[in-house]
């Protein structure tokens, strides 16, 4: 028997966020086996009412498990899953919070007002598009908004574009019985057969409403053949059909598809909006959380409202309706690790050895490095708030507050900010346990080799914080370019608002650009402070190939990151040193990076860099990694300067004069 087409991966789309396949979930299996039926027309269709009943009232532990966010799979929630189901039965039979509080009208969708307003206007004007692309991070309301749109376009008496929630059509949507909303999860139905089925289905009129709405979730998972089949439908859509394509990875969708859709980019929900929403839900449910508890939950959800609500749900299921901060911390797996403080201290004092040791110790203990670094960043952020005198209301235990006060007292604001910058931007890509990205970021910070782009353009807390410590002016640091260079950046866009005086010091990457324009600057002084402006140590002649490669270097890095994450990360500290025919010598700041490029994974990293070079330049090169000691002593990144040539020319054309010559 062929597999039914219209099953949803999350049987109720209730917020599956874990990687566990939901086919393991009892509810999902039931959905597939018992609630599917062949319609007289031979199409597979899911009676949505049954689905709702299954997932709502009799939610199983397995299903709850499948709904856990990856983060929630840590800490004491693991115990919950492992524990006797009978223990958690009362909570498990409740209706899941996320579904219970799922928005039913555009006006209830959180944090996406520009999108919902546009959609409402389209419904009110009777002019919905035939195809929409909803992109954005998970848990930000794409599917929910799609369902509301389906409901609104089919409502008998919409009010200013909102469904009236009273007509038979609206009721059928709310009960999950609407036949004109067909949902397809492309993650599990990615082939051409499903899309062919779908295309056949579009030929039939809607069963009761005006529009048949096809909501395809995770559409980027479709195969190429399936995309082609879908494209044919999108090219000539029947007038009664609306497609809503939802995706977390819009760049994977062919341009031929996106160009036929009206696209909406869903934003991450801000922390304050997430807090507001979970507070609202908590109050509605009668939960009692210690002050600061909702913020902890919201912070852990990192912009996904669905995660936040599900985390709250899990916490209440385990600890009951009254929660202390300690309950929440342990429940969320936010075990306060003293090594996170060690690492934070090492970051502000730029103690290379202590930081790498803390990182390695955490890794050796099997701690997820991404979570660890997030903990370090959180500690640094709190220290900054304390330093700025804004720490009175923070949700901290006494021990934590003590640690942080010590940390804050021994650091300067500029140091904390630099550490936050360096560690806050670590990109772990796919592997949360890989410590290399964090090591590179930390080593760059500790050795003063932070790329110029990491210079704070504006730091909200800085003016206030600086005022709090007037007696200790920050010493010059390698990663902070002198203010005198700022005009080069201002010139091209004079309308740019001036920043307040306190943030004068930092300047944008382009600010150092004048250097690149001057031919063959002398080698940098080997003293780290005061910062010598970076000068390429080779001096003298720069061949056309070398110049071309240096100008393309950012593109090479971008390409490398896409091909192999490790290669991209390593290239952050690597720069073209010389070119001879098709042989490119790439210099690295650190010797171990040279080894990694040369040998890592059977040369895979090097191959990735070579491929990136070929993609960025259209030529074939072989790469030879070498240790380039001078880079360690240089301040800002040479890549910025060398690639900034055209910007400098442009700035000078507009009247900018380099001031630091
Ligand atoms: Zn209605």
């Amino acid at each position: 028997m062929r597999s039914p087409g219209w099953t949803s991966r999350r049987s109720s789309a209730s917020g599956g966020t874990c990687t566990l396949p939901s086919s393991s979930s009892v509810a999902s299996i039931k959905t597939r086996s018992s609630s599917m039926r062949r319609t007289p027309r031979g199409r597979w269709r899911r009676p949505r009412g049954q689905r709702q009943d299954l997932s709502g009232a009799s939610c199983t532990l397995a299903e709850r498990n499948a709904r856990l966010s990856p983060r929630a799979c840590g800490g004491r929630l693991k115990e919950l899953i492992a524990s006797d189901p009978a223990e958690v039965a009362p909570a498990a039979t409740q209706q899941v919070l996320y579904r219970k509080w799922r928005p039913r009208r555009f006006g209830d969708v959180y944090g996406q007002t520009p999108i919902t307003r546009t959609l409402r206007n389209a419904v009110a004007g009777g002019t919905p598009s035939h195809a929409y692309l909803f992109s954005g991070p998970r848990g930000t309301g794409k599917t929910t908004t799609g369902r509301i749109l389906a409901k609104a376009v089919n409502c008998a008496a919409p009010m200013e574009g909102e469904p009236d929630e009273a007509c038979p059509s609206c009721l059928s949507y709310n009960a999950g019985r609407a036949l004109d909303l067909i949902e397809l999860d492309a993650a599990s139905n990615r082939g051409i057969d499903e899309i062919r089925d779908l295309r056949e289905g579009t030929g039939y009129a809607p069963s009761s409403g005006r529009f048949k709405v096809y909501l395809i979730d995770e559409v980027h998972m479709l195969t190429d053949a399936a995309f082609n089949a879908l494209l044919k439908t999108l090219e000539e859509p029947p007038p009664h059909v609306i497609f809503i394509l939802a995706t977390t990875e819009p760049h994977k969708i062919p341009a031929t598809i996106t160009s036929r859709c009206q696209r909406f980019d869903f934003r991450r929900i801000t922390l304050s909006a997430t807090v507001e929403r979970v507070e609202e839900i908590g109050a509605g449910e009668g939960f009692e959380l210690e002050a600061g508890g909702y913020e902890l939950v919201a912070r852990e959800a990192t912009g996904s409202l669905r995660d936040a609500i599900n985390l709250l749900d899990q916490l209440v299921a385990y600890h009951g309706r009254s929660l202390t901060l300690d309950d929440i911390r342990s429940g969320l797996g936010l075990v306060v690790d003293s090594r996170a403080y060690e690492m934070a201290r090492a970051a502000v004092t730029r103690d290379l050895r202590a930081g790498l040791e803390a990182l390695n110790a955490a890794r050796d203990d099997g701690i997820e490095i991404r979570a660890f670094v997030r903990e370090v960043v959180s500690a640094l952020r709190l220290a900054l708030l304390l330093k700025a005198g804004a720490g009175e209301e923070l949700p901290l235990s006494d021990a934590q507050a003590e640690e942080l006060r010590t940390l804050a007292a021994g650091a300067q604001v500029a140091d904390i900010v630099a550490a936050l910058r360096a560690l806050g931007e670590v990109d772990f890509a796919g592997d949360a346990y890989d410590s290399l990205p964090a090591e590179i970021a930390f080593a760059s910070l500790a050795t003063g080799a932070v790329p110029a782009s990491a210079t704070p353009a504006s730091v909200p807390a800085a003016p206030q914080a600086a005022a709090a410590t007037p007696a200790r002016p920050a010493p010059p640091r390698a990663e902070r370019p002198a203010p005198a260079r700022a005009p080069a950046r201002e010139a091209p866009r004079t309308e740019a608002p001036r920043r307040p005086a306190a943030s004068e010091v930092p300047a944008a990457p382009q600010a150092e650009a004048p250097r690149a324009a001057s031919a063959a600057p002398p080698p940098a002084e080997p003293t780290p402070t005061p910062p010598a402006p970076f000068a390429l140590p080779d001096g003298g002649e720069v061949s056309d190939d070398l110049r071309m490669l240096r100008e393309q270097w950012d593109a090479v890095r971008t390409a490398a990151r896409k091909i192999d994450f490790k290669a991209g990360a390593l290239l952050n500290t690597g720069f073209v040193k010389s070119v001879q025919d098709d042989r490119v010598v790439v210099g690295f700041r650190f010797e171990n990076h040279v080894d990694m490029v040369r040998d890592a994974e059977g040369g895979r990293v090097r191959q990735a860099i070579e491929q990136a070079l070929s993609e960025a330049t259209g030529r074939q090169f072989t790469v030879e990694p070498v240790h380039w000691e001078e880079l360690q002593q240089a301040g800002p990144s040479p890549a910025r300067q060398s690639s900034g040539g055209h910007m400098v020319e442009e700035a000078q054309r507009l009247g900018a004069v380099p001031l630091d010559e």
Side-chain angles (χ1 to χ4, degrees), residues 574-588:
F575 302 94
V576 187
K577 190 171 184 200
S578 64
V579 187
Q580 187 79 53
D581 298 328
D582 60 352
R583 186 167 143 275
V584 179
V585 177
V586 181
F588 289 87

Side-chain angles (χ1 to χ4, degrees), residues 221-268:
M221 302 285 280
L222 290 181
T223 61
D224 288 348
F227 269 129
N228 282 335
L230 181 62
L231 182 60
K232 284 184 189 146
T233 317
L234 290 179
E235 280 168 342
E236 291 173 37
H240 58 267
V241 167
I242 294 176
F243 280 102
I244 301 171
L245 314 179
T247 181
T248 49
E249 305 191 42
H251 57 278
K252 290 188 180 166
I253 299 173
T256 45
I257 300 273
T258 49
S259 67
R260 286 179 170 77
C261 297
Q262 191 174 351
R263 177 167 168 177
F264 290 100
D265 293 325
F266 284 64
R267 291 182 307 182
R268 251 174 227 291

Side-chain angles (χ1 to χ4, degrees), residues 552-631:
Q552 295 293 319
W553 201 237
D554 276 349
V556 174
R557 284 187 170 137
T558 308
R561 245 193 314 272
K562 282 186 190 141
I563 297 162
D564 180 285
F565 174 70
K566 197 172 264 184
L570 284 164
L571 276 196
N572 280 336
T573 66
F575 302 94
V576 187
K577 190 171 184 200
S578 64
V579 187
Q580 187 79 53
D581 298 328
D582 60 352
R583 186 167 143 275
V584 179
V585 177
V586 181
F588 289 87
R589 288 183 201 275
F590 307 110
E591 264 186 295
N592 60 330
H593 291 176
V594 177
D595 297 339
M596 281 189 237
V597 171
R598 189 170 290 139
D599 304 322
E601 290 154 61
R604 201 178 52 130
V605 169
R606 180 160 47 173
Q607 283 159 19
I609 296 175
E610 284 170 357
Q611 192 186 333
L613 274 165
S614 141
E615 281 179 18
T617 65
R619 285 173 52 185
Q620 295 296 324
F621 290 102
T622 57
V623 165
E624 184 184 336
V626 297
H627 183 209
W628 197 2
E629 251 173 296
E630 289 87 343
L631 285 176

Side-chain angles (χ1 to χ4, degrees), residues 56-250:
S58 59
C59 159
T60 65
L61 190 64
E63 199 199 347
R64 290 182 71 82
N65 188 353
R67 198 178 296 118
L68 281 173
S69 83
R71 276 185 301 285
C73 292
R76 289 176 68 179
L77 290 171
K78 274 184 190 155
E79 298 167 30
L80 165 70
I81 297 157
S83 64
D84 182 357
E87 267 180 57
V88 289
T93 54
Q94 282 174 2
Q95 189 180 14
V96 175
L97 277 188
Y98 178 69
R99 190 166 322 125
K100 184 172 170 184
W101 290 84
R102 185 192 273 282
R104 294 186 161 190
R105 307 162 65 250
F106 288 123
D108 298 337
V109 176
Y110 247 74
Q112 312 292 358
T113 313
I115 295 173
T116 51
R117 193 192 299 132
T118 309
L119 292 174
R120 248 178 66 187
N121 289 341
V123 174
T127 55
S129 168
H130 283 293
Y132 291 95
L133 177 63
F134 290 177
S135 67
R138 34 182 217 93
T140 50
K142 299 184 295 295
T143 316
T144 298
T145 304
R147 289 186 188 151
I148 295 172
L149 178 61
K151 178 163 71 172
V153 293
N154 282 316
C155 176
M159 296 181 300
E160 293 175 358
E162 290 277 21
D164 70 345
E165 297 290 292
C167 70
S169 170
C170 283
L171 294 179
S172 75
Y173 275 89
N174 287 347
R177 282 185 280 106
L179 295 175
D180 292 327
L181 170 60
I182 298 111
E183 296 187 30
L184 174 70
D185 180 22
S188 46
N189 302 281
R190 28 186 334 226
I192 191 165
D193 287 346
E194 280 84 4
I195 299 299
R196 281 208 185 113
D197 282 357
L198 182 151
R199 282 183 63 197
E200 280 175 43
T202 59
Y204 300 100
S207 67
S208 57
R210 287 172 58 210
F211 291 100
K212 235 172 160 165
V213 180
Y214 288 86
L215 177 52
I216 308 183
D217 208 0
E218 305 291 357
V219 69
H220 61 272
M221 302 285 280
L222 290 181
T223 61
D224 288 348
F227 269 129
N228 282 335
L230 181 62
L231 182 60
K232 284 184 189 146
T233 317
L234 290 179
E235 280 168 342
E236 291 173 37
H240 58 267
V241 167
I242 294 176
F243 280 102
I244 301 171
L245 314 179
T247 181
T248 49
E249 305 191 42

